[in-house]
Amino acid sequence: MDADHRLNANEFKALLRQLDNRAYGIYRRLRQTRIVFDAYSLGFRHVQASPGAMPASVCELFLPASRFPVPGWAISNEARSIAAADYVLRSFACGVARSARQHRGADGSGSYQCPEMPQQILARNAVSFSPAGLSIAFRVSLPGTLSQKVLAGEAEAMFFGELADIAQAVKADLSDSRRFRGHCELVEDMRHVQDRLGRRGLVAFIADGSMLPRDSGLSDKPIRDDQGGTAFCAPEAAAVVLDFPNAGNIRGLGIREGVTVVVGGGFHGKSTLLHAVARGVYPHVAGDGRERVVTSQNAIVVSAEEGRSIQGLDISAFIGTLPAKADPRRFFTNNASGSTSQAAAIVEGMLAGADLLLIDEDASATNFLMRDRYMRQLIPDDPITPLFDRVRELYRDHGVSTMIVAGGSSDYLGVADHVIAMRDFVPVDMTARARGLDLPRSWAPAGPLDISDRRKLRPGNFDPLFLNRRMNKAVPVRIKALRGQECEILEYGMDLIDVRSLEGIVDPDQMLTLGHALLLARRLEPPAAGRSPSALARQVVRLVRREGLDVLQAPAAPPVFFAEIRLLELAGAINRLRSLAVDV
């Protein structure tokens, strides 16, 4: 978006000096102003009200094609354009890290606020390309004092010295054609193979040479060289060779459609494999170790979530007669058990189009996964139909595959199409050996697996109003990630939406995207009311794909940085709203 008022560099410098030591709010004079420097221009799209205010100011750096050329091959298709934008944003952040002196003012002001980019490469709205050049939107906290006065000298240092160095860093990285092209080709390869997995009867692929272990349980970064680590290598019986357009033919483990059971001793890589497959719905940066891990884009992790809200969902496929006259066909609770929450997650996922369920025994409700023959004899009237009894039916009748990590029970071996054992992070095909064992078989459920949603959203859902009772203040729109849990809890209106179980959320910008997608749902014509949660989520995602991420931007609101979300995550967030109001 071009600014209304233009200044040259000297005029901008003079203006800053006029503002020095005046009330911080006078920075607002910069809004809708574009500064034209010799090599680039800078526009102010939003200006914060005080030092440390959130959201911070938003600037747009425009780099003209004449000085900052982007090669045509980098934006020749959608996959490459996403990769190119990601490459530029990472380059800008690295330039800031090298050149900018942060926190030069009060309350952290005087700082460039670059996102901490994840290992995954996502479509975003912060970077755009045109024949005229390249635009990079970024947040910056304008420098001020504790007494809320303008620090013009520090602003001058940021926008005249440091920004020039950052722009040069971007230019140098654009000129590094080998690294730039490699980044684009990684994404193009991954998306090409992902779109064609089904043609080979696969739901996931892990290339030989992949390095799946992470640096720690708190980090998604790859394991360090000094920590060791074993390169992945597919067993011959389960190996496939896939054609990557740029990298050529690559051998690896093909996770086939159906039921795949992953077994092995503790600390040998079972959960690590499952986690890598879960994150394989997105491309990864070079050096991550999972660049050639490719998973169906409709895969979803399913786990127990004790205490979550379930509003009116039909979970009768897994849960039968309940006490206190609770109806599993219209199940309401604000405090779900492990089994009812996991049943709900499967139903919700299938309603949103999931074709692969990823399940870790350690994160599941044991009584939902299985029930042995002795327990069946002892408690014949248990209302839970375990997943064990339905997992074949899921694939046979609904085309939904399952990949389950089973470390403490052999039950699922009896219903598995494929069995993989992990030994020191290396897979071993155990399918033939498992079939030679005397294993339990699933019991016939009382009725067919019916997955349907009769719920209709009531008017008034997704109210973003927040009432701060302590300060007796109303905030018209509260949409933000909870500080310290930026990829786990979304603050939306009076709701705290817990999305920790949604593995497709890897970046705080996705949390904001979820929140603004809910806000968009309130503005839809025809209204959201009368549709099921998954139908509404499908409509919103379809609109975003057609119009672009900026369709989520609320009118007259400060600019927001968005990152792509899947239908599965949006539907999951809607279903976890404690204020969700439905008719059934």
Side-chain angles (χ1 to χ4, degrees):
M1 181 182 69
D2 213 0
D4 297 328
H5 183 56
R6 287 177 176 266
L7 300 176
N8 62 36
N10 289 332
E11 290 170 333
F12 179 47
K13 186 179 291 187
L15 174 61
L16 285 177
R17 291 175 179 177
Q18 290 174 20
L19 304 183
D20 190 35
N21 206 36
R22 297 177 67 178
Y24 191 92
I26 203 169
Y27 268 133
R28 291 287 181 91
R29 288 179 58 180
L30 296 176
R31 188 172 180 272
Q32 297 296 91
T33 298
R34 180 164 292 276
I35 319 304
V36 181
F37 295 88
D38 289 340
Y40 52 82
S41 66
L42 176 71
F44 287 85
R45 296 172 57 184
H46 169 71
V47 178
Q48 67 204 81
S50 61
M54 297 294 287
S57 302
V58 176
C59 291
E60 181 183 53
L61 178 65
F62 178 74
L63 306 177
S66 58
R67 291 177 177 266
F68 299 83
V70 177
W73 52 257
I75 51 175
S76 58
N77 57 44
E78 182 183 21
R80 288 190 175 212
S81 295
I82 290 170
D86 179 271
Y87 182 86
V88 167
L89 202 55
R90 291 176 193 272
S91 174
F92 184 89
C94 287
V96 168
R98 288 195 298 265
S99 302
R101 181 169 69 87
Q102 302 284 59
H103 309 300
R104 63 189 79 213
D107 295 327
S109 65
S111 301
Y112 293 90
Q113 297 185 349
C114 296
E116 185 175 340
M117 301 290 283
Q119 297 296 100
Q120 293 75 28
I121 297 169
L122 307 172
R124 299 175 184 271
N125 69 332
V127 175
S128 60
F129 303 99
S130 72
L134 160 67
S135 294
I136 307 169
F138 61 96
R139 291 201 182 280
V140 59
S141 183
L142 298 175
T145 67
L146 280 174
S147 56
Q148 300 206 9
K149 298 295 180 64
V150 169
L151 286 173
E154 299 294 351
E156 186 176 323
M158 293 178 71
F159 295 121
F160 282 84
E162 294 172 352
L163 189 60
D165 292 339
I166 294 166
Q168 282 302 116
V170 173
K171 183 174 184 177
D173 284 342
L174 290 174
S175 301
D176 188 346
S177 59
R178 180 177 179 180
R179 188 161 67 93
F180 191 9
R181 185 183 288 272
H183 193 81
C184 293
E185 290 179 349
L186 265 180
V187 178
E188 184 178 47
D189 276 356
M190 185 274 181
R191 292 302 190 193
H192 175 90
V193 170
Q194 186 180 51
D195 289 343
R196 290 159 179 78
L197 284 174
R199 300 180 189 179
R200 295 289 300 268
L202 303 176
V203 289
F205 172 81
I206 304 97
D208 288 355
S210 297
M211 189 65 69
L212 306 186
R214 299 295 90 190
D215 182 46
S216 73
L218 299 176
S219 172
D220 199 38
K221 298 290 180 66
I223 192 170
R224 301 192 307 272
D225 292 340
D226 61 355
Q227 291 178 300
T230 304
F232 195 87
C233 183
E236 192 59 39
V240 298
V241 176
L242 299 185
D243 179 26
F244 288 71
N246 300 294
N249 290 337
I250 294 181
R251 180 186 184 276
L253 173 65
I255 305 296
R256 303 186 183 279
E257 295 173 346
V259 181
T260 298
V261 178
V262 182
V263 298
F267 310 104
H268 278 260
K270 304 184 301 299
S271 296
T272 299
L273 173 62
L274 191 80
H275 183 71
V277 171
R279 290 291 168 90
V281 299
Y282 300 126
H284 287 74
V285 296
D288 173 80
R290 301 169 296 184
E291 302 95 315
R292 306 295 183 191
V293 178
V294 185
T295 305
S296 166
Q297 59 185 338
N298 295 316
I300 187 171
V301 173
V302 174
S303 58
E305 301 170 69
E306 292 189 28
R308 66 157 283 190
S309 171
I310 302 171
Q311 298 301 316
L313 188 68
D314 184 349
I315 57 172
S316 60
F318 297 101
I319 310 295
T321 305
L322 291 170
K325 297 182 179 180
D327 185 353
R329 295 169 301 175
R330 302 171 180 81
F331 187 67
F332 288 87
T333 182
N334 289 316
N335 188 22
S337 66
S339 56
T340 54
S341 64
Q342 200 156 9
I346 290 178
V347 173
E348 291 161 354
M350 292 177 66
L351 289 169
D355 60 13
L356 173 61
L357 306 179
L358 301 170
I359 301 174
D360 193 332
E361 184 182 82
D362 288 346
S364 298
T366 303
N367 63 337
F368 176 74
L369 289 188
M370 67 200 76
R371 188 162 73 253
D372 66 32
R373 56 180 179 147
Y374 300 110
M375 195 59 71
R376 291 179 192 266
Q377 293 172 17
L378 187 64
I379 311 292
D381 57 349
D382 191 320
I384 300 174
T385 298
L387 180 63
F388 177 73
D389 292 350
R390 294 286 196 190
V391 72
R392 298 294 322 161
E393 193 180 2
L394 279 170
Y395 179 60
R396 184 189 69 232
D397 297 345
H398 295 269
V400 177
S401 299
T402 301
M403 182 178 179
I404 182 167
V405 168
S409 172
S410 63
D411 283 24
Y412 276 85
L413 299 178
V415 293
D417 295 300
H418 322 286
V419 179
I420 299 167
M422 294 299 291
R423 293 177 179 170
D424 194 20
F425 293 91
V426 176
V428 179
D429 188 278
M430 301 286 280
T431 306
R433 185 171 177 182
R435 286 175 180 163
L437 302 175
D438 182 18
L439 295 167
R441 300 296 172 182
S442 58
W443 291 44
L449 180 62
D450 178 29
I451 302 296
S452 59
D453 196 353
R454 293 178 292 275
R455 297 176 297 168
K456 302 298 181 185
L457 291 165
R458 294 178 184 171
N461 275 294
F462 319 125
D463 186 351
L465 176 68
F466 175 66
L467 299 175
N468 188 327
R469 296 186 176 93
R470 183 177 60 85
M471 299 180 65
N472 194 28
K473 178 182 178 182
V475 179
V477 177
R478 180 181 74 161
I479 302 175
K480 64 189 185 77
L482 185 65
R483 184 171 296 182
Q485 294 179 278
E486 284 83 1
C487 288
E488 299 175 352
I489 308 292
L490 174 65
E491 298 185 57
Y492 183 89
M494 298 298 291
D495 266 293
L496 295 179
I497 311 175
D498 188 337
V499 297
R500 279 176 288 187
S501 65
L502 303 179
E503 285 273 336
I505 301 298
V506 299
D507 187 275
D509 285 349
Q510 290 178 297
M511 297 286 275
L512 294 178
T513 306
L514 285 175
H516 283 266
L518 298 180
L519 191 62
L520 174 63
R522 284 178 64 87
R523 308 196 304 267
L524 284 178
E525 291 294 341
R531 288 171 243 186
S532 70
S534 56
L536 174 64
R538 190 169 283 107
Q539 181 186 2
V540 171
V541 168
R542 190 182 299 124
L543 178 62
V544 171
R545 287 174 179 166
R546 185 176 70 243
E547 303 291 337
L549 285 164
D550 280 330
V551 74
L552 297 170
Q553 180 67 53
V560 180
F561 296 127
F562 300 119
E564 68 175 285
I565 55 171
R566 302 183 302 162
L567 169 60
L568 288 159
E569 275 71 54
L570 178 55
I574 292 172
N575 279 303
R576 285 161 177 79
L577 267 168
R578 293 190 176 274
S579 64
L580 190 68
V582 299
D583 290 316
V584 288

